[in-house]
Amino acid sequence: MGRKLSYQIMILLLIVNSSLQVKYEFVLDNEQVLTECQDKPPGALDYDSLFDFSELTFTMGGDGVTLTGNATTVWDIKPTDRIQGTANILYFDRGTWQSTILNMIAQNFCATMYDERQFWYKIWARHIINADEVKDNCLKVPGTKLIMEPFVIKAEFGFDAPLRQGRHKIVFGFRAFDEHNVERKDNICFEITGEFYKI
Ligand SMILES: *[C@@H]1O[C@H](CO)[C@@H](O)[C@H](O)[C@H]1NC(C)=O
């Protein structure tokens, strides 16, 4: 009986959980796509210290911004490092950016870069065509070329917490730690701005 009850509770929780989740679509609102962080942490470098964008183009179209081409990693860290990745969502309210409770952190970004439940996978990593070849390099081996299929930068997300519709930005941060867990001098920070729509 005990087992049956726990199954029932589990199923109920699953249903409750999925009904609480609200689905949103995030669409970029400008062709600039990646921008410098407005509140830079000490030592933060821009997106062009993470990737070489010379083989990459962004074009604005009717349904958003399309990305075409390849990105080559240039971040000067070591293959044995651990990368910590963060994504913080802020919304624009009466002229200022306000923080939200939607802040994600991956202590070992490389272990979850290709995890389909992750934010960065949905918005970007799933479009990397040569993933099998470059998976192990993650973002840790400078010169790794990520070949991407052309895609419109937008993604659907389910959030348990309600989100306002309208203008938001996602602030991405990457930090690297050596094998003694000492942080490397250079960290990366950049933002993307767009709109969340309820679907
Ligand atoms: C992307 O890389 C592939 C393989 O090296 C190459 O064939 C292709 O021309 C590159 N794309 C662009 C836009 O440079």
Side-chain angles (χ1 to χ4, degrees):
M1 184 262 169
R3 170 170 276 197
K4 198 167 188 185
L5 187 64
S6 63
Y7 278 149
Q8 281 169 350
I9 291 171
M10 201 171 80
I11 290 166
L12 188 70
L13 284 177
L14 286 176
I15 293 167
V16 169
N17 191 31
S18 61
S19 67
L20 280 180
Q21 263 211 353
V22 184
K23 281 216 150 72
Y24 294 88
E25 186 177 58
F26 181 72
V27 182
L28 292 184
D29 63 5
N30 63 85
E31 205 172 42
Q32 171 67 39
V33 185
L34 303 167
T35 50
E36 247 179 72
C37 283
Q38 285 176 351
D39 279 316
K40 266 196 202 170
L45 303 174
D46 295 333
Y47 47 88
D48 57 357
S49 297
L50 181 60
F51 292 120
D52 169 356
F53 289 91
S54 58
E55 287 189 337
L56 218 146
T57 27
F58 297 110
T59 30
M60 188 85 190
D63 45 347
V65 177
T66 299
L67 183 153
T68 322
N70 312 314
T72 302
T73 59
V74 293
W75 193 12
D76 188 17
I77 59 172
K78 297 280 172 293
T80 46
D81 286 358
R82 174 175 63 86
I83 297 179
Q84 180 203 72
T86 52
N88 298 332
I89 301 182
L90 291 84
Y91 76 94
F92 197 65
D93 185 34
R94 281 163 291 170
T96 53
W97 289 104
Q98 308 283 340
S99 52
T100 69
I101 56 162
L102 295 162
N103 300 309
M104 285 145 273
I105 183 159
Q107 295 297 353
N108 187 354
F109 172 81
C110 292
T112 61
M113 180 170 164
Y114 293 96
D115 177 343
E116 57 194 40
R117 291 163 303 181
Q118 299 294 327
F119 200 70
W120 26 77
Y121 181 83
K122 290 182 189 182
I123 204 161
W124 163 64
R126 69 191 167 108
H127 301 289
I128 301 171
I129 304 172
N130 62 339
D132 283 348
E133 291 162 45
V134 298
K135 222 173 202 159
D136 294 339
N137 289 3
C138 186
L139 309 175
K140 303 191 288 193
V141 183
T144 302
K145 191 192 260 198
L146 308 176
I147 302 174
M148 284 167 292
E149 59 180 359
F151 68 98
V152 176
I153 307 173
K154 60 168 148 190
E156 276 179 27
F157 302 106
F159 293 118
D160 290 331
L163 192 72
R164 286 158 208 253
Q165 298 205 72
R167 193 141 193 253
H168 284 73
K169 72 178 177 182
I170 308 172
V171 180
F172 291 95
F174 294 97
R175 295 170 174 277
F177 298 83
D178 72 11
E179 64 268 48
H180 305 295
N181 222 21
V182 176
E183 188 175 348
R184 299 247 177 236
K185 179 170 62 66
D186 296 343
N187 66 84
I188 310 282
C189 185
F190 58 88
E191 308 180 343
I192 62 177
T193 307
E195 307 254 343
F196 276 103
Y197 300 99
K198 206 180 258 181
I199 45 178

